[in-house]
Amino acid sequence: MKNKIIFAALFAFAFASLFASCKKSASLYPEYFALSNGLSVFVREDHKVPLAYIEIAVRAGGVTQRRDNTGIFHLYEHMMFKGNSMCKDSAAFQKTLSELGVDDWNGTTGEHCVNYFFTIPSEDLRKGMEFWSAAIREPLLDEAEFEAEKKVVISEIQAEYNSPGTILAAFFTKTFFPNAPWQLDSAGEVATVQSAKLDELKSIKEKYYVPNNAALFIGGDVDAKEVRRLAQEIFGDWEKGSFDFDSECALQTQEPFDQTKFFVMPNEEVSPQIAQTMIYYRGPDADFDRDSSYPLDLFTNYINGPDSSFIQEILADQDLRVISQDYAGGGYSTRRRTSSINFYAVMLEPERSIPTRAKNFYSLVAEKIIPDYVKTKKIVGKKKIKELKKIRRDEALIKSELFASMLGDARYWWTVCDKDYYYNYAKNLDKADDAGIAAALDKYLVGKNAFVVVVVNPAVYNNLKAEFDAQGFEEVKKENAFWFNSGNESGKE
């Protein structure tokens, strides 16, 4: 037993020393460098298996869309797989992938980035980097392929139109970000994709697919020095562009409502035995208020714990019928300009006046729990803060053992913030305390109007429709969910 205690103490000391020096060490973060043309490169060596992961990402997608070109970035992502200067057509593209031994490849278009990736034998690192260089810099953009791919993209968009999750997300973004909801709609609009011209894709390539708006993420059985040499050799002559994020991306309103809004969504995927209520507030955007993001991360980690006063107060309200710590909580999502803070509760017996109980949940959070936190500034406590910070550090250490997870984190934060936010996160989180949490809650929640939605089974909704109407709940449905179907044609970027 004595030896075990000594070992545990040594491990704790080693862990603390490791994290304290993480800024200088590559142990918790990938190595980073940038080429003179602005291309960012993140590298993580991991020699366990002879494989190399290569990803190239561009800051584009939903966030760079205009009202009149929604879906074009999604369409462009598909066209990247239809041939380039190295592969004469899509068949040659697939053949080259096969010859490289690729068994895992794809591309995605999201709110903040478009990315392309695969895993190959590490001995073919150069070939893999050359492959993505040709794909991103010299796509064929063939007219016939373009017209055929429109149909594929349209089918993908239409396939999601009836999904309850898509409908609710669309309604939320349309309502919560009215200035430019299309900048959160990475899939796009069918009509825009249908009428797209090839010249639009060429314009996107020239403007956004430039090295100073792109990053390489390479990990696995690779040598960082060799990656640096190859990156310079293969991507060094990629011509820098003039894209400026600030002038392209919309400023979303910080206060979308003049009063708290209540909504209800019937969803057949929800059991008639439960109802879920969600409350959303605008949060601090990384482009303008990073200092508030760290205490809010700490706070939302705290409230999801079983011993948090937040959970305990919700469970103590017998009328809410939230029966377990697993059925209530909250979160904060850091974004450049579209951040939000949320709270939720899953309640039993929805047939028992759920509209009133949902409003009571909102009142409990908005009028009691949060104001009490701000007033007393006794929220988490030093001991719990120390524990929560250690949990976050443990998570970072675990991810450092998996190069794909580490590079995924790096790409996410490079996309929604920048590399400095990513590399300095631990240091800034260490500064967070109860006073900072109280200040952030006061700034973003107290006295602010919220988006409140109740999701119930259609049978429950039909039985309580009169009550929902009397309580001022607006129904969320396919017909009013999507910004392009609801008369929202005048949003200003």
Side-chain angles (χ1 to χ4, degrees), residues 368-426:
K368 184 181 186 303
I369 297 178
I370 299 302
D372 283 353
Y373 281 153
V374 173
K375 182 179 179 181
T376 64
K377 294 184 174 61
K378 294 179 180 178
I379 305 169
V380 183
K382 291 183 179 179
K383 182 179 179 180
K384 189 65 179 179
I385 285 176
K386 186 177 180 180
E387 179 185 324
L388 289 170
K389 289 177 179 178
K390 184 181 183 302
I391 290 172
R392 296 301 293 260
R393 292 165 183 167
D394 288 348
E395 291 172 351
L397 185 61
I398 291 169
K399 285 183 178 179
S400 74
E401 292 299 308
L402 303 169
F403 68 84
S405 294
M406 175 185 283
L407 292 174
D409 262 9
R411 189 248 303 147
Y412 175 82
W413 291 114
W414 172 82
T415 298
V416 303
C417 298
D418 53 41
K419 72 174 182 62
D420 292 333
Y421 189 95
Y422 172 62
Y423 282 102
N424 294 319
Y425 180 82

